[in-house]
Amino acid sequence: MRKFNNGDLKVFERIHQDMYHSLCLYGAKFVGEDDIIDDTVQEAFIALWDKRKELDNIFRLKAYLYTIVRNKLLTYKRLKKTVSIEGVQIDLEEEDLDGQVLKEEAYKTLRDAISSLPERTKLVINYKINGHTNKEIAENLDITVNTVKTLQKAGYFKLREQLKGNVYILILLAELF
């Protein structure tokens, strides 16, 4: 944090790289327009850079980014007059923001763990996360369904071993599969 507070661009780039995808996913809960979400996330990073000297820890930094994205997108929706009271539930409680930050951290940890798997296992696990059936995975990777099952089982085992100390991520993993 000290390097970031002092204007270290490499640290800022790392924060951008780590948070960009999560912020876009979060923004998609409010607006379905990718261009607007992308612009809003970029604006949030600009605001973060401007406020870098005032933030003293990584959790406040992340909460700050999520808050900016949420507020800007809600303002956009209000100006576009597309806010629907019925059918869309947007809970703006601060507790939910903390929960969202925690959930995004868990997803990042899970993505990092998946990226450490062997290449074919990683591909099978990623296809599975994206909702593909074993048959679809087998066809896409030109392997048998039994090979898919074997790689999937090995991947789950390795992920459970890597993440065994983090109960929250294991629960998330169980939800995904």
Side-chain angles (χ1 to χ4, degrees):
M1 280 305 297
R2 198 172 314 145
K3 285 183 178 182
F4 176 68
N5 294 135
N6 291 328
D8 188 325
L9 284 175
K10 288 183 181 182
V11 174
F12 179 71
E13 289 172 3
R14 176 64 187 205
I15 293 168
H16 185 274
Q17 182 181 28
D18 287 348
M19 296 292 302
Y20 179 80
H21 183 70
S22 298
L23 289 167
C24 287
L25 288 174
Y26 180 66
K29 293 180 178 186
F30 301 102
V31 176
E33 302 169 58
D34 291 341
D35 296 351
I36 301 301
I37 294 168
D38 185 55
D39 289 347
T40 302
V41 170
Q42 294 302 342
E43 288 173 19
F45 279 108
I46 291 168
L48 174 67
W49 181 255
D50 292 340
K51 192 171 177 129
R52 70 185 177 277
K53 293 180 181 177
E54 299 171 36
L55 299 168
D56 59 355
N57 69 50
I58 192 72
F59 298 109
R60 284 197 180 134
L61 179 147
K62 289 179 180 183
Y64 179 74
L65 285 170
Y66 282 104
T67 301
I68 288 181
V69 169
R70 178 192 68 209
N71 291 345
K72 285 186 176 289
L73 290 175
L74 288 175
T75 299
Y76 170 79
K77 283 182 76 164
R78 255 183 272 149
L79 292 175
K80 293 285 282 182
K81 299 188 187 298
T82 59
V83 175
S84 172
I85 301 300
E86 300 165 359
V88 177
Q89 180 181 356
I90 301 174
D91 193 352
L92 300 180
E93 295 294 321
E94 196 63 36
E95 296 166 7
D96 289 340
L97 181 60
D98 292 341
Q100 183 65 31
V101 170
L102 180 63
K103 191 173 184 178
E104 294 301 330
E105 285 294 312
Y107 276 114
K108 182 184 179 323
T109 302
L110 180 59
R111 281 193 311 267
D112 291 345
I114 290 171
S115 71
S116 72
L117 295 172
E119 194 60 35
R120 288 178 72 189
T121 305
K122 180 179 13 176
L123 286 171
V124 168
I125 296 297
N126 282 325
Y127 273 117
K128 201 65 178 173
I129 287 174
N130 290 320
H132 293 276
T133 65
N134 289 347
K135 184 178 178 184
E136 291 171 335
I137 297 169
E139 290 171 0
N140 286 335
L141 298 178
D142 197 27
I143 57 178
T144 67
V145 172
N146 284 335
T147 303
V148 169
K149 290 177 183 178
T150 301
L151 291 170
Q152 186 176 329
K153 184 177 177 180
Y156 294 157
F157 178 78
K158 288 178 183 177
L159 288 173
R160 279 192 301 272
E161 284 296 309
Q162 285 182 3
L163 303 170
K164 65 182 169 190
N166 195 325
V167 175
Y168 185 74
I169 295 176
L170 290 175
I171 292 170
L172 177 65
L173 186 61
E175 286 177 12
L176 289 173
F177 305 111

